[in-house]
Amino acid sequence: MSVQTRIWTPIDYHADGKQSDCLRLPHSTDLSAYGWIPIPLVCIKNGSGPTALLVAGNHGDEYEGQIALSNLAREIQAHQVSGRLLILPALNSPAVAAGRRVSPLDEGNLNRLFPGNAAGSPTEMIAHYVCEVLIPMADVVVDLHSGGRSLDYVVSTLVRPGRTVDEHEALLRLMRLFGAPIGFVSDGTGGGGLTTLAAAAQERGALALTTELGGGATLSQEGLSFAEAGLKRLLKDQGILRDIAIEPASSTRLMTVKGHSAFVYAHDRGIFEPAANIGDEVTKGQIAGRIHFPDLPAREPVTLFFESSGLVACRRVPSLTDRGDCLFKLMADIEAGSPGLALHA
């Protein structure tokens, strides 16, 4: 292998059968000079065919995907597969173990560090291995997310704008197949931009689908159910699980995120009182919420307003907020017959 990754695994990606082991992430500490940290990995291969890379635990405090992939890894046997499944339910395993968005080893936010660095911090090494070893094997990549500790999300799927009309249509088709109530197109404005796993996958020629399945560092049964059913529909469509029984997908409302005006941010430290819930339809100029200052009881609360109209995609969970915290994100409908809007969202 020409890639100078420091991560290794006993799993043979080219061998038929079901293998369950881990990636070894080198990490030298006071009490473990030559130690490594396990990143769980299941590889299920049977003959030739497409490869699906399924990831959860990119952020450690997002649980629906972790459970969905663990369930799938136990359920699927090699004889059911045509091609290959690569399943990583706890990709940023130090963050998963800590129940945190970022790694306790280096404060690394994995989904803001792609394409990574083979000689970098532990989190950068994970990103590099995914980019240079795993993604090049994959035809389709699914990265299962939720809102984590700070946000609650409507159950939804996300794709980046396709670089061509054909790629874009293929990505929209993945969202419809997954069958979440909402599917939205975003280039990462206000978030990860080009530093996410989805952006890295797209750059390397794989179709990439991201989910948002709930949030608040709790488990959404609705989000878990959509994840399990949606994954099976995608894998059946790809020809990887040809004979698995699936439920038909429900309709997906296609939406987009229209730049920075779709977000509401706190400009003061205080207690956030929201005036809208996820899934609400709001209009430009409508009150979004207030920031209160119990340490300065004579000070009037600051009132916040939505800068655009749309559906509330996510809302901040913790009431205590600081300047710069995201409080809301809105999505707007993609107009029928306007592929250009989606392509350049």
Side-chain angles (χ1 to χ4, degrees):
M1 183 184 298
S2 61
V3 177
Q4 298 303 307
T5 178
R6 296 177 58 206
I7 295 174
W8 80 100
T9 179
I11 286 180
D12 182 350
Y13 294 119
H14 304 290
D16 281 352
K18 183 174 183 177
Q19 304 170 75
S20 180
D21 204 293
C22 63
L23 304 177
R24 272 80 163 154
L25 171 64
H27 188 55
S28 181
T29 66
D30 289 342
L31 297 178
S32 185
Y34 304 135
W36 49 261
I37 292 169
I39 299 172
L41 168 64
V42 176
C43 176
I44 310 174
K45 185 178 182 297
N46 184 28
S48 60
T51 292
L53 173 60
L54 309 179
V55 170
N58 189 333
H59 292 139
D61 58 353
E62 301 170 3
Y63 299 116
E64 292 82 2
Q66 296 178 41
I67 293 177
L69 290 190
S70 297
N71 289 343
L72 189 70
R74 291 192 304 272
E75 177 184 348
I76 301 303
Q77 305 304 317
H79 71 272
Q80 298 173 278
V81 171
S82 297
R84 181 170 50 189
L85 278 176
L86 301 173
I87 303 174
L88 294 102
L91 180 60
N92 193 353
S93 61
V96 169
R100 295 182 57 192
R101 181 176 180 85
V102 302
S103 172
L105 302 183
D106 55 14
E107 297 299 310
N109 181 340
L110 179 54
N111 213 35
R112 300 295 183 270
L113 288 174
F114 289 91
N117 181 354
S121 70
T123 310
E124 289 174 320
M125 284 193 282
I126 297 171
H128 177 268
Y129 187 88
V130 171
C131 281
E132 300 303 328
V133 179
L134 297 179
I135 290 175
M137 291 189 277
D139 299 282
V140 62
V141 177
V142 182
D143 187 16
L144 299 169
H145 284 262
S146 305
R149 293 186 189 183
S150 70
L151 296 172
D152 192 16
Y153 253 97
V154 293
V155 175
S156 51
T157 49
L158 160 67
V159 296
R160 294 179 57 78
R163 296 167 298 179
T164 66
V165 171
D166 287 345
E167 182 184 65
H168 192 73
E169 287 303 316
L171 291 167
L172 295 183
R173 183 172 177 274
L174 283 185
M175 288 202 296
R176 293 188 179 100
L177 275 168
F178 195 91
I182 303 292
F184 66 103
V185 180
S186 174
D187 61 3
T189 298
L194 294 174
T195 63
T196 63
L197 194 161
Q202 184 180 53
E203 181 68 22
R204 287 154 182 79
L207 293 176
L209 180 76
T210 304
T211 69
E212 297 291 355
L213 299 168
T218 62
L219 180 69
S220 164
Q221 289 293 337
E222 180 190 22
L224 176 60
S225 295
F226 272 106
E228 293 181 331
L231 286 169
K232 289 177 179 178
R233 279 191 290 270
L234 288 187
L235 294 173
K236 187 178 182 74
D237 178 76
Q238 292 290 311
I240 297 173
L241 296 179
R242 295 179 180 176
D243 299 325
I244 196 166
I246 59 169
E247 296 290 331
S250 302
S251 61
T252 295
R253 181 179 176 183
L254 296 182
M255 308 190 80
T256 190
V257 179
K258 293 184 176 180
H260 291 289
S261 67
F263 295 82
V264 177
Y265 291 98
H267 295 282
D268 298 89
R269 177 177 174 80
I271 296 176
F272 170 48
E273 176 194 0
N277 295 309
I278 60 170
D280 286 354
E281 299 279 354
V282 300
T283 59
K284 181 178 180 179
Q286 181 177 329
I287 292 177
R290 294 179 176 84
I291 305 293
H292 295 266
F293 312 100
D295 57 331
L296 298 169
R299 181 181 175 184
E300 290 291 330
V302 171
T303 302
L304 305 167
F305 300 90
F306 290 107
E307 295 182 16
S308 62
S309 301
L311 180 142
V312 177
C314 68
R315 192 192 81 182
R316 180 172 173 82
V317 173
S319 297
L320 183 62
T321 192
D322 211 337
R323 185 177 184 184
D325 286 340
C326 176
L327 306 177
F328 291 102
K329 181 174 78 173
L330 302 183
M331 293 184 290
D333 287 304
I334 295 175
E335 297 175 8
S338 301
L341 173 59
L343 191 57
H344 300 102

